[in-house]
Amino acid sequence: MRNTFLAAPVDMSKGFKDFFDTIGLTGGGLVTKGIAAVIAVIAMRMLLQLSNDPKGALRKGGAAVGTLFVAVILALYGDTLFSTVTEAKG
């Protein structure tokens, strides 16, 4: 019987730092994705709690869609946006 290796062995002796390097995220990037996920859940909950009043539903629906848009932008570009804050030069 022949052994088949699916992936090369990876040294994970440095713990979380090695793990984040393998998935391509830094600690700050992971936090940004987590915040975006929480905002997306809040936006979906806002969408599910729309009222029967047309004006109120339109207002709340617009706010929910705007919140969902912010969550998507934060998930896609959050690490780039916040890298200017965390890598301050002085």
Side-chain angles (χ1 to χ4, degrees):
M1 188 164 146
R2 200 175 71 171
N3 289 337
T4 304
F5 294 104
L6 297 177
V10 177
D11 179 25
M12 293 282 188
S13 62
K14 294 181 184 167
F16 284 115
K17 182 183 180 323
D18 287 333
F19 173 70
F20 291 141
D21 288 343
T22 60
I23 62 173
L25 282 177
T26 61
L30 188 65
V31 169
T32 305
K33 301 277 191 246
I35 291 171
V38 169
I39 292 173
V41 168
I42 291 170
M44 293 306 292
R45 184 176 166 107
M46 289 169 66
L47 280 172
L48 292 175
Q49 291 182 341
L50 295 179
S51 63
N52 292 331
D53 175 39
K55 274 188 170 179
L58 186 62
R59 188 179 308 123
K60 287 182 180 180
V65 169
T67 305
L68 191 59
F69 177 75
V70 168
V72 168
I73 294 300
L74 186 61
L76 293 175
Y77 303 111
D79 52 346
T80 305
L81 290 171
F82 292 122
S83 69
T84 59
V85 176
T86 57
E87 295 175 11
K89 295 179 173 72

